[in-house]
Amino acid sequence: MASVTLRNICKRYDDTPVTRNVNLDIQDGEFVVFVGPSGCGKSTLLRMIAGLEDITSGDLYIGNDRVNDLPPKAREVGMVFQSYALYPHMNVAENMAFGLKLAHTPKPEIERRVKDAAHLLQLDSLLERKPKDLSGGQRQRVAIGRTIVREPAVFLFDEPLSNLDASLRVQMRIEISKLHKRLDATMIYVTHDQVEAMTMADKIVALDNGAIAQVGKPLELYHYPATRFVAGFIGSPKMNFIDCTVTAASSQSVSVRLPGDLNLTLPVNGGALTDGETVTLGIRPEHLTENEESDLYLQGEVTVVERLGYQTLVHLDVANVDGVLTMRTDGGNPVQEGGQMTLGLSATRCHLFQQDGTACPRLHLEPCVDL
């Protein structure tokens, strides 16, 4: 296995930038997820690591070797694509072995690697089947097996679960995570699904418009987002945002005025803020409560109730607040559409973002084992 290092990696098509000065260290054996919306550059970055896209500028290292000018087959990487791309006329064993045959690998070695990969992926009983006789999850496992038999130093996954239904996505997430632990391999995984990122990654790389917005452990990005973009992208449902005005600021706290002349003091570092500046308060749906001991209360009309069994999502219109606020509550909450609800906010649960989207550092530490 190997580490992967990116230094000032840029990609441009003519005058259009796709990635911007990406600097990243991926350790040997780490599971790193590139996450972000469509068009943010995550797949392009993965394809540059694989050698399928030229690097406009910067340096890419796999292990200690600079690989900018090496062809894909010389980079010791294996890639699993969104499409299974299995040969329909070949059975499972033949599909997994095809790349090794092209590389003139000795037949006994091919048989050993295919057998080992099939056992690892629980495909032993399916080796004689054609792709048309397999389920979507089984086909994806064959595509992964085709990569495993090459024994690459780095595994690359480009949205491999996007073609699967919801239940299979959950199953394959678990299987890929188990596979990482068994192989102790360096894996780089691209997805736009923040749930996949949160549940699978050792480290998340959040990309925004071709640049890295934040790098960290999943719960670090959740509890301490560096920007409003990260705060809105990580977490489902996404964070609620309320525009407000600074009334007092210091390195120890910031006081803000919310719509409706409501005031709240937050334990964040506001040393870069000035009185009268417009900022954005953020709070996650699960941190809006009906608790009578909250620091501030908002009155809202319930517009939509989504009952999911184990939880209920309540969407509310609050006077003078742009957009809808979402609250996550207990699945047995009897709230009804059209009713009124009082939302409680705790200052220690709130985030504050400057006009450029940068977060004011929170001074309250979450009890979080992942940090």
Side-chain angles (χ1 to χ4, degrees):
M1 302 307 160
S3 61
V4 178
T5 305
L6 293 80
R7 290 289 175 263
N8 299 312
I9 295 293
C10 296
K11 176 66 178 181
R12 289 187 297 273
Y13 294 111
D14 297 325
D15 294 328
T16 303
V18 180
T19 63
R20 310 162 188 263
N21 296 316
V22 174
N23 289 282
L24 181 65
D25 294 299
I26 299 172
Q27 304 301 321
D28 184 9
E30 206 168 25
F31 195 126
V32 174
V33 176
F34 294 168
V35 70
S38 297
C40 71
K42 55 188 183 296
S43 289
T44 300
L45 196 57
L46 193 76
R47 290 173 65 85
M48 285 192 285
I49 295 172
L52 303 177
E53 293 278 359
D54 292 332
I55 297 172
T56 303
S57 62
D59 299 302
L60 172 64
Y61 297 88
I62 296 179
N64 296 319
D65 300 322
R66 185 179 182 274
V67 299
N68 290 47
D69 302 318
L70 291 182
K73 65 180 181 180
R75 296 193 180 195
E76 293 189 278
V77 300
M79 192 160 181
V80 179
F81 295 90
Q82 181 176 346
S83 171
Y84 315 133
L86 302 178
Y87 294 105
H89 63 287
M90 295 182 182
N91 62 29
V92 169
E94 291 167 338
N95 266 284
M96 292 172 65
F98 186 69
L100 297 179
K101 289 181 179 179
L102 290 181
H104 305 293
T105 306
K107 186 175 180 179
E109 179 66 9
I110 292 176
E111 292 177 350
R112 181 192 68 80
R113 294 192 191 184
V114 169
K115 181 180 178 181
D116 289 348
H119 181 70
L120 187 66
L121 296 167
Q122 299 178 8
L123 294 171
D124 311 71
S125 62
L126 306 176
L127 291 175
E128 300 303 319
R129 290 192 188 182
K130 299 288 180 64
K132 66 182 178 64
D133 299 319
L134 304 175
S135 68
Q138 289 168 340
R139 293 178 191 177
Q140 189 58 272
R141 291 209 300 271
V142 175
I144 294 172
R146 183 176 53 195
T147 300
I148 289 176
V149 298
R150 294 184 52 215
E151 299 182 347
V154 180
F155 287 81
L156 308 176
F157 294 85
D158 190 7
E159 303 201 44
L161 308 186
S162 59
N163 291 330
L164 303 179
D165 61 38
S167 61
L168 273 178
R169 287 173 74 100
V170 174
Q171 178 185 341
M172 286 304 300
R173 282 207 315 258
I174 295 171
E175 291 190 14
I176 292 175
S177 295
K178 288 181 177 178
L179 179 66
H180 173 247
K181 291 179 174 64
R182 290 171 188 158
L183 296 177
D184 194 25
T186 305
M187 292 186 175
I188 306 174
Y189 188 103
V190 162
T191 183
H192 63 273
D193 187 332
Q194 57 91 24
V195 174
E196 288 182 18
M198 289 290 291
T199 55
M200 299 173 72
D202 295 325
K203 182 164 69 182
I204 292 177
V205 180
L207 292 164
D208 180 20
N209 196 26
I212 293 179
Q214 189 172 357
V215 178
K217 294 181 179 181
L219 291 183
E220 182 181 349
L221 270 66
Y222 178 84
H223 288 300
Y224 299 97
T227 67
R228 176 172 171 168
F229 164 79
V230 175
F233 196 86
I234 299 295
S236 180
K238 71 176 184 178
M239 183 180 288
N240 297 294
F241 296 110
I242 304 172
D243 290 334
C244 49
T245 303
V246 175
T247 57
S250 71
S251 61
Q252 298 300 312
S253 66
V254 177
S255 297
V256 296
R257 180 178 295 112
L258 281 72
D261 287 331
L262 299 172
N263 296 290
L264 183 65
T265 298
L266 309 176
V268 300
N269 184 341
L273 300 177
T274 58
D275 291 1
E277 184 175 347
T278 299
V279 291
T280 302
L281 181 146
I283 185 164
R284 297 201 178 277
E286 53 269 36
H287 296 155
L288 287 172
T289 70
E290 298 177 87
N291 191 332
E292 295 181 356
E293 299 180 356
S294 299
D295 297 313
L296 181 143
Y297 302 93
L298 298 173
Q299 188 75 25
E301 179 183 353
V302 178
T303 57
V304 177
V305 177
E306 296 181 283
R307 301 194 183 281
L308 304 178
Y310 66 99
Q311 66 177 4
T312 296
L313 302 180
V314 183
H315 305 280
L316 305 101
D317 279 335
V318 176
N320 303 312
V321 174
D322 292 334
V324 173
L325 297 187
T326 300
M327 172 186 179
R328 189 200 306 270
T329 185
D330 183 79
N333 193 312
V335 60
Q336 297 293 325
E337 294 179 4
Q340 295 291 315
M341 177 175 279
T342 300
L343 306 178
L345 286 75
S346 171
T348 58
R349 293 291 195 177
C350 293
H351 303 254
L352 199 64
F353 303 95
Q354 302 177 51
Q355 289 183 348
D356 64 358
T358 303
C360 296
R362 299 177 71 198
L363 304 178
H364 172 71
L365 298 178
E366 299 284 348
C368 177
V369 298
D370 194 47
L371 297 181

